[in-house]
């Protein structure tokens, strides 16, 4: 039976690659699980909890000698040497930033999978460890800023005087940025956000933020789900906005990262010098050079004018239990993909874009970088004016039916209805008429409800349910007892679907209606 080893981390890392919950699920895939003694203690997962989940507690050497080794951080040269020939290592390897690690892994007859190289496509979301950790990091960045900030986030009016709300600027509205916006907004702060991708404006607004648009001609798009480098024009205008905001806000959280490249500089030393004493900056990109001039990776810095700059690189590890659970679930989902037969045998299929993308080394052969993955469609091409020489058929295809043509189709449909009713035996004409009336009423009564009141998908399903309700109501007065019972059941079930749909939509709208505060 293939053995999976959960090994301990080193340094300041408090997370662990698997929790008792995920260990139990890994065992259901047919694997034998061993856990290094004390590997989960810093995450509050004790050895007896792993043992109760079906794992065996072993020493470090035995865990590293497993067929499959799960961990979080990239291994050291010494740890690579502890792997057995033919073993598979899975973790966050950052292959784009660590070419020397890729070479060291390829020097051994092993397989290495980088969990942080999962492509950002829909079916791979359950394995996207970068998003999971960024979500935690964004939330924790706000908590760290709250700890350093000397005032309330929310505004208050008390007998002792008025307390203004804190003003927060979030640079970058990716996963981490949106998590920070949501956390700061829920604490009562006025939150503003910038991002080169205009499509995130609605997301920022929906969780209580104000989107600050950088007015330039270029439109940012991303084909792989990650941020891209911006143009000179954008950078100039963005720098002006950051300078303006630095003089006004109390807290700045920067999240801008470009995979495989140093973090872009967003705030200069002059911008920091313009901030008020006691202000806080959390530079979440400090580990890759930093978005803020003067930030130091892993350190807390206080400037001459009293601004606190936090360059912590271990924000997810500051919520170790939650981070370990999410990371372990991402790992579990990857192993489910690699063990479809649930027989404890890991199989890598390079025809699968997800498996190909995460594979850095396969049996000692370097497979990094993988072929590029297109995850978003290109913008639709602008419609071109028809050429003067175009045919009449081409023009008809582009312009669609004329009003006269539509009227002709309606007339033909009515004539067909009357023709069927004229020759069809009873009670077919009655049933046919009921069906058509049900479709018309259901479509116009429910299908035409504005999508601001419910989602397009719910609009269609409710329209279908409306057709069922109308048809069943017309049949409920039938003299046949069986027909009456079936009609009543149909009305009940369709009504549950309609009213339940609107109830769910109401809750969704209530969730997104927070944060429409005036920016004062």
């Amino acid at each position: 039976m293939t053995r999976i080893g959960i090994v301990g981390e080193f340094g300041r890392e408090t997370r662990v690659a698997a929790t008792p919950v995920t260990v139990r699920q890994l065992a259901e895939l047919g694997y034998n699980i061993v856990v290094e003694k004390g590997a989960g203690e810093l995450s509050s997962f004790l050895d007896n909890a792993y043992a109760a989940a079906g794992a065996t507690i072993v020493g470090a050497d035995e865990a590293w000698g497993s067929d499959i080794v799960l961990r979080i951080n990239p291994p050291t040269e010494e740890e690579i040497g502890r792997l057995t020939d033919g073993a598979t290592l899975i973790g966050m390897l950052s292959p784009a930033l660590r070419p020397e690690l890729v070479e060291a892994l390829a020097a051994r007859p092993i397989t290495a999978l980088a969990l942080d190289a999962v492509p950002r496509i829909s079916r791979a979301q359950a394995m996207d460890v970068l998003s999971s950790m960024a979500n935690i990091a964004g939330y924790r960045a706000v908590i760290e800023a709250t700890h350093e900030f000397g005032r309330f986030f929310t505004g208050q009016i008390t007998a002792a005087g008025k307390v203004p709300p804190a003003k927060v600027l979030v640079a970058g509205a990716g996963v981490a940025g949106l998590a920070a916006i949501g956390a700061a907004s829920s604490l009562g702060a006025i939150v503003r956000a910038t991002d080169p991708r205009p499509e995130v404006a609605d997301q920022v607004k929906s969780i209580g933020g104000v989107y600050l648009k950088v007015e330039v001609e270029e439109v940012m798009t991303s084909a792989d789900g990650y941020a891209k480098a911006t143009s000179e024009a954008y950078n100039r205008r963005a720098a002006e906005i950051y300078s303006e905001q630095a003089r006004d806000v109390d807290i700045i959280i920067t999240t801008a990262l470009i995979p495989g490249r140093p973090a872009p500089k967003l705030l200069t030393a002059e911008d920091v010098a313009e901030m008020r004493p006691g202000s806080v900056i959390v530079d979440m990109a400090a580990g890759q050079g930093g978005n803020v001039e003067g930030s130091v990776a892993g350190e807390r810095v206080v400037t001459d004018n009293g601004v606190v700059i936090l360059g912590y690189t271990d924000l997810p590890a500051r919520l170790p239990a939650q981070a370990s659970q999410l990371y372990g679930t991402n790992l579990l989902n990857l192993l489910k993909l690699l063990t479809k037969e649930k027989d404890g045998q890991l199989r890598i299929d390079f025809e699968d874009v997800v498996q190909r993308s995460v594979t850095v080394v396969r049996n000692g052969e370097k497979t990094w970088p993988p072929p590029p993955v297109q995850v978003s469609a290109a913008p639709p091409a602008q419609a071109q004016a028809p050429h003067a020489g175009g045919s009449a058929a081409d023009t008809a295809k582009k312009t669609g039916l004329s009003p006269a043509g539509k009227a002709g189709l309606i007339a033909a449909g009515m004539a067909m209805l009357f023709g069927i009713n004229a020759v069809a035996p009873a009670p077919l004409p009655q049933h046919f008429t009921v069906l058509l009336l049900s479709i018309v009423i259901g479509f116009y009564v429910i299908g035409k409800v504005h999508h601001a009141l419910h989602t397009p998908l719910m609009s269609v399903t409710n329209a279908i349910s409306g057709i069922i309700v109308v048809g069943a109501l017309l049949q409920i007065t039938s003299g046949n007892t069986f027909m009456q019972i079936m009609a009543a059941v149909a009305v009940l079930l369709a009504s549950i679907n309609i009213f339940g749909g609107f109830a769910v939509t109401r809750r969704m709208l209530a969730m997104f209606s927070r944060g429409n505060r005036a920016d004062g």
Side-chain angles (χ1 to χ4, degrees), residues 8-23:
E9 304 295 327
F10 57 87
R12 300 168 63 180
E13 182 60 72
T14 59
R15 296 170 293 177
V16 65
T19 69
V21 172
T22 62
V23 161

Side-chain angles (χ1 to χ4, degrees), residues 99-442:
E100 72 286 350
L101 175 62
V102 176
E103 296 295 336
L105 291 168
R108 292 289 318 281
I110 61 173
T111 296
L113 307 181
L115 194 57
D116 50 349
V118 171
R120 286 192 165 171
I121 58 178
S122 298
R123 67 184 181 88
Q125 288 179 351
M127 312 166 213
D128 189 355
V129 69
L130 289 180
S131 293
S132 296
M133 297 302 104
N135 181 28
I136 295 174
Y139 173 85
R140 185 67 193 194
V142 174
I143 302 302
E144 296 292 340
T146 307
H147 175 70
E148 295 286 350
F149 191 52
R151 296 193 284 111
F152 290 140
F153 262 42
T154 185
Q156 293 187 8
I157 298 177
T158 71
K162 180 180 178 181
V163 178
K167 296 179 181 179
V168 178
L169 173 68
V170 178
V175 176
L178 291 173
I181 294 166
S185 177
S186 66
L187 289 173
I190 294 172
V191 187
R192 304 161 187 165
T194 63
D195 195 282
R197 297 161 293 184
E199 63 267 22
V200 305
D202 290 338
Q203 300 174 39
V204 171
K205 183 179 179 182
S206 70
I207 53 177
V210 176
Y211 178 69
L212 303 179
K213 185 177 181 180
V214 179
E215 298 285 353
V216 291
E217 291 185 0
E218 71 167 331
V219 177
M220 291 295 298
T221 59
S222 175
D224 59 3
Y226 294 95
K228 299 293 184 184
T230 51
S231 68
E232 297 258 343
Y234 180 92
N235 292 339
R236 282 195 300 271
R237 178 59 190 131
E240 295 172 2
I241 291 178
Y242 289 131
S243 297
E244 295 165 4
Q245 293 297 315
R247 292 190 290 270
D248 185 45
V249 301
D250 305 295
I251 294 165
I252 298 178
I253 298 174
T254 64
T255 70
L257 281 174
I258 301 172
R261 298 180 58 177
K265 282 288 185 284
L266 305 182
L267 292 177
T268 65
E270 291 76 16
D271 295 333
V272 177
E274 291 289 333
M275 297 184 71
R276 292 185 290 270
S279 299
V280 181
I281 300 174
V282 183
D283 187 353
M284 295 181 61
Q288 287 182 225
N291 297 140
V292 182
E293 190 173 348
S295 68
V296 179
E299 301 294 335
R300 174 185 184 272
V301 176
V302 182
T303 65
D304 294 338
N305 62 320
V307 176
V308 178
I309 304 177
L310 303 179
Y312 299 149
T313 57
D314 61 343
L315 290 172
R318 292 173 181 245
L319 290 171
Q322 184 69 75
S324 298
Q325 184 58 52
L326 293 183
Y327 183 91
T329 301
N330 293 140
L331 251 178
L332 171 67
N333 290 328
L334 177 62
L335 285 168
K336 284 181 178 178
L337 178 66
L338 301 177
T339 321
K340 293 181 179 179
E341 303 299 325
K342 296 185 179 181
D343 57 356
Q345 297 298 318
L346 187 145
R347 300 176 181 87
I348 299 176
D349 178 12
F350 269 22
E351 296 300 317
D352 182 352
V353 66
V354 176
Q355 299 180 46
R356 176 64 185 90
S357 296
V358 301
T359 306
V360 177
V361 174
R362 187 179 189 183
N363 298 326
E365 178 186 355
K366 185 169 71 171
T367 59
W368 182 267
V373 179
Q374 186 82 9
V375 300
S376 61
Q382 295 293 326
Q384 296 181 355
H387 294 289
S391 67
D394 293 337
T395 304
K397 288 179 182 178
K398 293 176 182 177
T399 58
L401 285 175
S402 64
K406 292 179 180 178
L409 284 178
I410 293 173
M414 294 177 64
M416 186 180 297
L417 171 63
F418 284 115
I420 292 174
N421 285 338
V423 299
L428 184 59
Q430 177 186 355
H431 294 320
F432 194 65
T433 303
V434 167
L435 173 63
L436 291 178
L437 289 176
S438 301
I439 292 173
V440 172
I441 295 173

